[in-house]
Amino acid sequence: MAANPRPLVAGNWKMNGLAASVGELAKIIKGASGIAADLMVCPPATFIASFVHAARGSTVTIGGQDCHAEPSGAHTGDVAAEMLKDAGAVSVIVGHSERRTDHHETDAQVHAKAMAARRAGLTAIVCVGEQRAEREAGKTLDIVGRQLDGSLPDGAGELVIAYEPVWAIGTGLTPTAADVGQVHAFIRKCLGERYGVAGGSLRILYGGSVKPSNAKELLTIVNVNGALVGGASLKAEDFLGIAGVYR
Ligand code: PEP
């Protein structure tokens, strides 16, 4: 039985943001009070330390968008979970569909990254979701189940799951509320099988074209414990418009 965890609304800025973007973070921090949800911003790695500094003392936390599985070493261009932690991040997204597609990341690699997050003391936000053809072929639960099996970290502990249908990301399309509810209920069941009673209180976020106009419908579905927001998280007004569902 789900224990109704406190919702989380996390913004994934992807590869967007220059120095002026700190102004949007300031607006998010200002607007966060009175919202009964945890708010998180996941900016590009170049901003982690300065955003942590700017958000200190507020209710907004900062997360990374990806991490390497190793704690250090000869991996040019990569960022270790330990480095994100050292910079003040509390969380890291792993297995985002853009990483799975652009960098051919496998479930085994996502699992290793989720374990690295645990090792470093970060909460992994593990992303899963089907492609459009997979949904049309009626394979959504098979695909999501396989991704969960292969990607989730071993052992109960801090963890967030994000269900993000790949065809809904950045397209303006969203599944029906019934379809979202079906997948989230399935994920909840898988978490129970994997982690026992602890699986009932883990947060399962929905992600994919969430915006202020559809947030209420999506975020009030049973077993939807918040959102992972891409495009709409770049503007404080839109991000707060989504999180404001929890006011
Ligand atoms: C995402 O990339 O995690 C995402 C949900 O993007 P968008 O909100 O833009 O669909």
Side-chain angles (χ1 to χ4, degrees):
M1 195 59 178
N4 247 353
R6 182 175 163 87
L8 168 66
V9 180
N12 172 14
W13 282 22
K14 311 192 184 192
M15 199 174 72
N16 295 294
L18 297 171
S21 310
V22 75
E24 290 307 304
L25 177 70
K27 287 188 217 162
I28 291 170
I29 291 169
K30 201 162 165 225
S33 71
I35 295 178
D38 294 331
L39 299 195
M40 180 185 293
V41 174
C42 301
T46 48
F47 280 126
I48 300 276
S50 63
F51 275 29
V52 166
H53 182 74
R56 195 157 286 148
S58 82
T59 56
V60 177
T61 57
I62 306 301
Q65 297 178 12
D66 179 52
C67 66
H68 196 278
E70 299 296 326
S72 62
H75 303 289
T76 303
D78 281 317
V79 177
E82 280 76 0
M83 293 169 173
L84 296 172
K85 174 79 177 172
D86 191 47
V90 299
S91 195
V92 62
I93 299 168
V94 295
H96 190 280
S97 68
E98 287 153 15
R99 301 285 319 174
R100 290 179 186 263
T101 302
D102 297 356
H103 299 272
H104 311 289
E105 289 187 6
T106 62
D107 287 334
Q109 285 169 313
V110 177
H111 172 264
K113 290 178 178 209
M115 293 302 287
R118 281 260 171 95
R119 181 189 66 219
L122 298 176
T123 300
I125 301 176
V126 177
C127 300
V128 295
E130 81 286 1
Q131 305 274 350
R132 180 195 288 270
E134 292 164 341
R135 172 157 286 275
E136 286 170 357
K139 291 186 182 155
T140 298
L141 300 188
D142 286 350
I143 296 297
V144 169
R146 207 174 313 146
Q147 289 176 334
L148 291 171
D149 276 352
S151 307
L152 292 181
D154 309 331
E158 274 290 317
L159 176 67
V160 174
I161 318 301
Y163 167 55
E164 300 206 300
V166 179
W167 53 273
I169 293 180
T171 59
L173 303 171
T174 53
T176 65
D179 287 342
V180 172
Q182 183 199 30
V183 179
H184 279 240
F186 172 74
I187 294 173
R188 179 69 66 206
K189 178 174 83 67
C190 295
L191 293 175
E193 286 164 5
R194 180 127 178 175
Y195 301 122
V197 71
S201 56
L202 296 177
R203 294 186 281 199
I204 308 172
L205 312 184
Y206 169 77
S209 295
V210 181
K211 34 188 194 250
S213 58
N214 62 17
K216 186 155 189 197
E217 188 189 6
L218 291 164
L219 300 186
T220 51
I221 298 168
V222 176
N223 282 311
V224 173
N225 311 118
L228 181 54
V229 185
S233 70
L234 294 170
K235 280 213 165 103
E237 193 186 337
D238 289 346
F239 188 59
L240 292 168
I242 293 166
V245 165
Y246 296 112
R247 234 178 245 287

